[in-house]
Amino acid sequence: MQDILKEVLLDHVKSPKNKKELDNPDLSGHSNNPVCGDVVKVDLQIDNDTVVDVSISGQGCAVSQASMSIFGEEIKGSSLKDVKKKIEQFKSLLGTNEVEEITILSEEARVLKFLEGNPSKIRCALLSWSAIEEVLE
């Protein structure tokens, strides 16, 4: 399991998915962690209540960058309702809130469960997820 975890994280750190700029995004979220200096920006292109494109950017530790990349892949093609559910389930996965059951998160997102119990790294992993959660509320 440890090797799979390292492989997934390294892939997202070395080759982040959706790292680009979007012209005229429909929603933009920004978040930072002043304790460690991590910064993320997530832009969404939405059509008919569905995320059709995602742009991510930012800088920080490997956890925040990998999680940002995973988040972009996780929500692309999802309805905004499902994006909210995925955010809630991800937070539950990391132990920051309770949901009955984790049903719609990808295996890649579930890999980050190893952070549960490490509050400083949980904050890093949640940056991009929280940035979009705030603009959806």
Side-chain angles (χ1 to χ4, degrees), residues 25-118:
D26 297 302
L27 286 176
S28 292
H30 307 266
S31 191
N32 69 358
N33 183 347
V35 174
C36 64
D38 292 358
V39 177
V40 300
K41 178 184 176 200
V42 182
D43 292 330
L44 305 180
Q45 199 93 49
I46 300 167
D47 187 22
N48 291 326
D49 204 41
T50 299
V51 177
V52 293
D53 206 359
V54 178
S55 163
I56 60 168
S57 60
Q59 56 191 27
C61 70
V63 169
S64 72
Q65 299 305 290
S67 183
M68 180 174 64
S69 178
I70 290 168
F71 177 65
E73 290 292 285
E74 186 74 33
I75 64 170
K76 191 186 272 187
S78 297
S79 70
L80 293 179
K81 181 180 176 184
D82 280 349
V83 170
K84 289 177 186 178
K85 283 183 190 175
K86 288 179 180 191
I87 292 168
E88 286 302 312
Q89 288 187 11
F90 187 70
K91 291 165 68 176
S92 181
L93 179 80
L94 297 181
T96 63
N97 74 344
E98 289 189 31
V99 193
E100 289 181 22
E101 191 176 359
I102 297 176
T103 57
I104 61 175
L105 284 180
S106 69
E107 287 300 315
E108 282 201 336
R110 292 174 192 227
V111 163
L112 294 171
K113 182 169 178 54
F114 83 95
L115 297 169
E116 185 179 37
N118 186 338

